[in-house]
Amino acid sequence: MPLLDALSPLSPSLGGLLILLSVVTSAFTAAFGVGGGVLMIMALAQVMPAAALIPVHGMVQLGSNVGRTTMTWRHVDRNTLLFFVPGVILGALAAAWLVIRLPAGVLELCIAAFVLFTCWGPGVPKRALHGAGIVVAGAVTTLLSSLVGASGPMVAAFVKQRQEGRLAKVATFSACMSLQHLTKIFVFGMAGFVFREWLGLMVAMVVAGLVGTWLGLKLLHRLSEHHFDNLFKWALTLLALRLVWLGVSRWSGMA
């Protein structure tokens, strides 16, 4: 336990559980395309100080997504990334200087509505999936990522319509999320967060996440295209419904 005790301000038992959780959530995202990040932040929110929640989650997810991108880099859609990067930069700048926040709960309801519309509605207009539409998507989701921690369902819903094939979806989604989480070093560094205090736990969770990614990709290769699309859609839907519940709870609590 001495090693676990030195990793972070949390107790050794909690640190060990979070390291195991990183394996599970990374495997989940690698296999089903989305969901691990939201599951992770839900768990972290139960045991971690609010000030550390989003930056620590962001760094762990950065490591997990970089690992997944490295393992699937041949399938990444470079054209999507070309337009996504400027949006990420704009979103990060807005997040770093934002002083006015939306009422509690509204943000979650907006994300959930977008995801449900993308999964079950007529789809995002084709022109929104190219050029300027990708820049806007990158900016909005990066801003949301810094405010609510996990913008994965929204990015996944966007990637789902633009990419063909399960590996392309997972690879491109992972690359986009890597860029978003990378900006949190800048955003929360500007806000004065001390990453050093949590560095040991973050590194341990990243290493565990790489193991989970490897396991999840093994499962992904065994899924048929049809089954993957169904699992991907239902994973997004369940996450969106959770956001609806969370958003309504927060909004009604503030009313």
Side-chain angles (χ1 to χ4, degrees):
M1 285 295 193
L3 180 59
L4 289 175
D5 193 33
L7 291 180
S8 75
L10 299 178
S11 69
S13 58
L14 284 178
L17 286 174
L18 292 179
I19 292 169
L20 291 176
L21 179 68
S22 185
V23 176
V24 175
T25 55
S26 293
F28 189 92
T29 299
F32 301 118
V34 68
V38 175
L39 292 174
M40 173 68 76
I41 201 167
M42 287 172 61
L44 293 180
Q46 309 304 313
V47 299
M48 190 168 286
L53 177 60
I54 295 179
V56 170
H57 172 267
M59 293 306 96
V60 173
Q61 290 300 299
L62 172 62
S64 180
N65 280 283
V66 167
R68 196 158 49 248
T69 303
T70 301
M71 295 180 195
T72 59
W73 67 271
R74 291 183 181 85
H75 302 277
V76 173
D77 182 356
R78 273 72 169 178
N79 289 329
T80 295
L81 288 185
L82 181 64
F83 288 100
F84 200 76
V85 169
V88 167
I89 295 172
L90 291 174
L93 290 173
W97 298 107
L98 187 66
V99 293
I100 300 176
R101 303 285 179 91
L102 290 175
V106 173
L107 209 54
E108 289 87 347
L109 291 172
C110 290
I111 298 173
F114 175 84
V115 171
L116 291 172
F117 175 81
T118 303
C119 285
W120 303 104
V124 178
K126 291 296 183 182
R127 62 172 174 264
L129 300 176
H130 304 281
I134 302 176
V135 176
V136 172
V140 172
T141 55
T142 300
L143 175 60
L144 292 176
S145 182
S146 292
L147 296 181
V148 300
S151 62
M154 196 170 183
V155 176
F158 177 80
V159 170
K160 171 181 172 290
Q161 287 196 219
R162 183 172 165 82
Q163 304 303 318
E164 295 292 336
R166 53 191 174 174
L167 282 171
K169 289 174 183 175
V170 170
T172 305
F173 169 76
S174 300
C176 290
M177 294 305 295
S178 295
L179 293 172
Q180 287 195 343
H181 289 305
L182 182 62
T183 66
K184 291 178 183 178
I185 298 175
F186 164 72
V187 173
F188 290 96
M190 290 281 292
F193 179 73
V194 182
F195 287 93
R196 185 178 62 256
E197 293 179 359
W198 297 86
L199 183 60
L201 180 62
M202 289 189 291
V203 171
M205 291 179 71
V206 166
V207 173
L210 293 176
V211 175
T213 294
W214 181 80
L215 293 172
L217 289 175
K218 290 293 183 183
L219 177 58
L220 174 64
H221 285 290
R222 299 188 180 196
L223 293 174
S224 69
E225 204 73 51
H226 174 70
H227 287 155
F228 176 81
D229 285 340
N230 283 334
L231 288 170
F232 196 69
K233 180 182 287 188
W234 279 106
L236 285 174
T237 300
L238 290 174
L239 291 172
L241 291 176
R242 179 217 164 242
L243 284 176
V244 170
W245 175 82
L246 182 62
V248 170
S249 298
R250 289 183 174 176
W251 183 67
S252 60
M254 295 290 292

